[in-house]
């Protein structure tokens, strides 16, 4: 990795109101090795690279409709939605940037430091997207700043951004000053841009800002057609990623769970933006750790592999799929017994996903099936109603049976309880159904043959007008079908 010209080279300040003069003043003396002649030479001789034939982003109509809904909810108020800033990983390296979901949902833009502002105008709002413009070649920022375009790549000009996103664009470096002087009611989405929040510190309240965040979370409960299409793309890539993993299980056995993680990650990066969350590649007893992301354990034939993974599209929509696979290609008798119980529970849960049903219904349906099996196996004393009332099955079922899915793997998390978990399923909602059974390796309340076995099966389900559609039905779920599918890929 190349080092910058000098350790003293300044980073582009967070939303500076003016950058040209400070860089000119520091050019000599504080930039060792930068002569007047070199600085002057770097100003000129560059071709015009303005892009004139840009098309709007695919979701431009949808983002406009979302902004209109937001405008209608908060008439007469200034609304400020930041993308966020780069975060330092170590020293002079940054984490890969991912814009805030609220910002990306309303704009389609994904660049750091961006801020969407809805200014009240008449009975509605006028939206402006505030962005960093092209790096300035006159003051040397494009090559002297660590975030200049020579170092990190070209960014769109403001006029290009207007064409891409269908929103008037302005220089974000001037925004903090404008907000400090602004009057009237204002709300901001907190937690992403400390500089913008500081400019509004005496103009906003936590309670009012939370109302904005909650509205934007609940707005994503029902997906539009573009979002459903993106989720299907994410799932389709995820299916191919699972196939990739099965084909290299022999190599994973020779290395570790990280071979599985890396194999899936390759598919995610080639076909999408990234993985939607840390891949869980849990072999053997690691499958009993719900969020096992260390992925540094052995992969052994005879054990199960619980793979929970999802590709994230370039528009940030993620799949979330889990399959529990026999590493050697065939389930043992006890593995199949537990797996089939989870499959039956998932079938009951999926069947409960219909428009008009209570959100909690699919969880209750899956939990009942698992509880019936636990009682049948003699692992907990019945009757089933007693076990469910006391929640005794949760020693082995552990988690909820699903969650909303979208631009976040656990989407709509800020929604009110009455709108989400106590709400009603509607067409356009997308959720996971993912029951599981987990018998910890040190659980002395179960027979030894159960210990260290963890099984979860998870699919992404779209609520339709007349029922449901399993977006991830490209991956087999029945135990016999899983074995046949694995044999076909390995053969």
């Amino acid at each position: 990795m190349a080092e910058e010209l000098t350790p003293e080279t300044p980073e582009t300040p967070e939303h500076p109101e003016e950058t040209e003069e400070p860089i000119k003043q520091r050019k000599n003396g504080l930039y060792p090795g930068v002569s007047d002649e070199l600085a002057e030479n770097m100003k000129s001789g560059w071709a015009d690279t303005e892009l004139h034939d840009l098309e709007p982003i695919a979701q431009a109509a949808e983002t406009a409709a979302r902004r209109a809904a937001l405008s209608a909810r908060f008439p007469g108020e200034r609304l400020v939605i930041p993308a966020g800033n780069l975060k330092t990983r170590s020293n002079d390296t940054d984490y890969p940037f991912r814009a805030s979901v609220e910002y990306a949902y309303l704009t389609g833009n994904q660049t750091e430091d961006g801020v969407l502002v809805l200014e009240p105008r008449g009975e509605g709002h006028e939206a402006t997207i505030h962005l960093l413009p092209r790096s300035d070649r006159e003051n040397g920022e494009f090559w002297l700043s660590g975030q200049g375009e020579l170092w990190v790549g070209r960014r769109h000009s403001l006029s290009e951004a207007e064409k891409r996103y269908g929103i008037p664009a302005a220089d974000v470096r001037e925004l903090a000053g404008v907000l400090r002087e602004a009057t009237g009611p204002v709300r901001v989405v907190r937690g992403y841009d400390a500089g913008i929040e500081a400019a509004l510190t005496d103009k906003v309240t936590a309670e009012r800002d939370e109302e904005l965040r909650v509205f934007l979370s609940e707005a994503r409960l029902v997906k539009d057609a573009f979002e459903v299409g993106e989720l299907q793309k994410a799932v389709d890539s995820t299916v191919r990623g699972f196939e990739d993993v099965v084909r290299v299980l022999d190599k994973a056995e020779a290395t570790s769970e990280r071979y599985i993680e890396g194999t899936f990650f390759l598919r995610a990066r080639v076909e999408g933006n990234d993985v939607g969350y840390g891949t869980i590649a849990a072999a053997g007893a690691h499958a009993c750790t719900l969020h096992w992301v260390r992925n540094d354990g052995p992969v052994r034939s005879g054990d199960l592999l619980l793979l929970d993974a999802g590709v994230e599209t370039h528009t940030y929509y993620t799949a979330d799929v889990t399959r529990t696979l026999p590493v050697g290609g065939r389930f043992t008798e006890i593995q199949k017994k537990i797996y089939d119980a989870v499959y039956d529970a998932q079938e009951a849960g999926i069947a409960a996903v219909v428009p008009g049903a209570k959100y909690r219904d699919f969880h209750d349906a899956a939990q009942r099936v698992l509880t019936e099996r636990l009682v049948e196996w003699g692992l907990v004393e019945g009757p089933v109603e007693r076990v469910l009332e006391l929640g005794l099955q949760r020693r082995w079922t552990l988690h909820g049976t699903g969650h909303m899915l979208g631009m976040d793997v656990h989407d709509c998390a800020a929604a009110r309880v009455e709108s989400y978990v106590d709400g009603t399923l509607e067409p356009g909602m997308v959720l996971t159904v993912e029951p599981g059974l987990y018998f910890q390796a040190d659980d002395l309340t179960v027979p030894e043959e159960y210990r260290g076995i963890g099984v979860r099966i998870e699919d992404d389900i779209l609520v339709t007008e007349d029922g449901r559609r399993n977006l991830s039905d490209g991956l087999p779920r029945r135990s016999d079908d899983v074995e046949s599918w694995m044999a076909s890929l390995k053969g």
Side-chain angles (χ1 to χ4, degrees):
M1 182 176 181
E3 290 186 340
E4 297 176 23
L5 184 65
T6 167
E8 289 78 23
T9 301
E11 298 290 326
T12 301
E14 191 175 286
H15 304 319
E17 295 186 30
E18 183 60 64
T19 61
E20 181 174 354
E21 190 59 30
I23 289 181
K24 284 183 176 179
Q25 292 174 357
R26 293 190 296 254
K27 183 180 65 181
N28 297 310
L30 295 184
Y31 287 117
V34 179
S35 64
D36 286 341
E37 290 77 8
L38 175 59
E40 194 63 32
N41 178 273
M42 292 294 285
K43 292 181 181 180
S44 60
W46 306 102
D48 178 9
T49 61
E50 182 77 8
L51 304 175
H52 299 285
D53 56 352
L54 287 173
E55 295 293 329
I57 58 173
Q59 68 271 42
E62 285 80 4
T63 56
R66 297 166 195 167
R67 294 192 300 273
L70 177 61
S71 173
R73 170 62 180 81
F74 297 102
E77 302 184 54
R78 180 178 290 103
L79 308 173
V80 182
I81 302 95
N85 314 125
L86 289 170
K87 291 182 172 58
T88 300
R89 180 179 185 272
S90 178
N91 192 22
D92 60 348
T93 59
D94 300 308
Y95 286 105
F97 179 74
R98 189 181 192 276
S100 74
V101 166
E102 294 88 349
Y103 175 85
Y105 177 74
L106 293 167
T107 67
N109 179 258
Q110 299 177 8
T111 55
E112 65 270 16
D113 299 329
V115 184
L116 173 68
V117 178
L118 271 63
E119 293 278 353
R121 292 284 188 272
E123 296 184 0
H125 287 80
E126 180 180 285
T128 303
I129 188 170
H130 298 258
L131 302 166
L132 286 172
R134 294 287 310 279
S135 288
D136 195 323
R137 305 206 176 217
E138 180 64 25
N139 69 13
E141 182 254 339
F142 87 102
W143 68 290
L144 292 173
S145 165
Q147 291 301 314
E149 292 183 6
L150 185 146
W151 291 98
V152 299
R154 186 188 189 278
R155 53 187 179 244
H156 283 303
S157 69
L158 297 182
S159 60
E160 290 171 353
E162 290 183 358
K163 296 175 184 176
R164 288 275 290 158
Y165 305 108
I167 312 171
D171 190 338
V172 72
R173 295 173 298 185
E174 301 169 358
L175 179 59
V178 171
L179 293 177
R180 288 190 197 98
E181 301 301 319
T183 58
V186 59
R187 300 177 192 252
V188 63
V189 176
R190 299 190 180 203
Y192 298 116
D193 193 318
I196 291 299
E197 289 181 39
L200 294 169
T201 187
D202 60 345
K203 305 176 189 297
V204 295
T205 67
E207 181 180 5
R208 286 165 47 77
D209 292 346
E210 181 64 9
E211 289 175 350
L212 172 59
R213 189 172 78 102
V214 167
F215 174 82
L216 290 172
S217 190
E218 293 184 1
R220 303 198 307 276
L221 283 168
V222 175
K223 271 58 182 180
D224 57 39
F226 175 84
E227 293 178 291
V228 171
E230 289 299 291
L231 285 166
Q232 186 66 71
K233 283 167 55 177
V235 168
D236 292 344
S237 288
T238 298
V239 168
R240 290 188 283 272
F242 274 70
E243 293 171 347
D244 296 338
V245 166
V246 171
R247 291 189 179 100
V248 301
L249 279 177
D250 56 336
K251 294 182 174 63
E253 287 187 63
T255 51
S256 75
E257 296 161 338
R258 291 197 174 177
Y259 202 96
I260 294 167
E261 177 187 356
T263 298
F264 187 85
F265 182 67
L266 177 61
R267 177 67 65 173
R269 286 293 280 168
V270 168
E271 295 192 359
N273 178 57
D274 205 331
V275 290
Y277 53 96
T279 296
I280 298 169
H286 288 163
C288 298
T289 301
L290 296 184
H291 289 168
W292 177 261
V293 292
R294 300 180 202 171
N295 300 336
D296 58 0
V299 179
R300 299 187 181 97
S301 186
D303 283 347
L304 296 178
L305 166 68
L306 190 157
L307 178 60
D308 185 336
V311 172
E312 177 186 84
T313 67
H314 293 291
T315 55
Y316 287 174
Y317 290 87
T318 184
D320 183 7
V321 178
T322 305
R323 291 293 183 268
T324 304
L325 310 172
V327 175
R330 297 190 67 82
F331 293 99
T332 67
E333 184 177 348
I334 185 65
Q335 289 169 351
K336 188 175 188 298
K337 172 182 173 180
I338 296 170
Y339 183 95
D340 287 349
V342 175
Y343 170 80
D344 290 344
Q346 194 200 26
E347 282 284 276
I350 291 174
V353 176
V354 293
K358 294 179 180 178
Y359 175 83
R360 295 181 187 269
D361 286 353
F362 76 94
H363 170 74
D364 294 341
Q367 287 286 297
R368 176 170 291 276
V369 172
L370 294 178
T371 302
E372 289 170 349
R373 298 303 173 86
L374 292 168
V375 171
E376 177 187 324
W377 298 340
L379 302 184
V380 62
E381 182 180 351
V384 168
E385 294 299 337
R386 167 187 170 272
V387 176
L388 288 169
E389 181 180 355
L390 299 176
L392 301 179
Q393 81 284 0
R394 294 182 61 184
R395 180 182 179 103
W396 303 286
T397 65
L398 298 180
H399 55 78
T401 307
H403 52 81
M404 291 296 177
L405 186 67
M407 298 181 84
D408 279 328
V409 65
H410 295 149
D411 207 28
C412 312
R416 295 166 297 173
V417 170
E418 58 267 32
S419 299
Y420 190 165
V421 296
D422 284 344
T424 300
L425 295 180
E426 301 177 39
M429 290 182 170
V430 180
L431 59 146
T432 69
V433 179
E434 50 173 319
L437 282 174
Y438 312 89
F439 299 102
Q440 305 299 324
D442 59 351
D443 188 348
L444 301 181
T445 71
V446 300
E448 187 174 357
E449 63 178 349
Y450 287 76
R451 298 174 197 165
I453 295 178
V455 174
R456 180 164 67 253
I457 311 171
E458 178 181 19
D459 285 88
D460 302 341
I461 310 298
L462 167 68
V463 183
T464 63
E465 294 288 344
D466 56 357
R468 77 205 68 83
R469 176 158 61 93
N470 186 345
L471 302 179
S472 47
D473 63 0
L475 282 176
R477 294 185 294 124
R478 292 175 57 92
S479 54
D480 291 347
D481 292 340
V482 169
E483 290 178 344
S484 299
W485 171 71
M486 293 182 69
S488 70
L489 292 172
K490 288 185 172 184

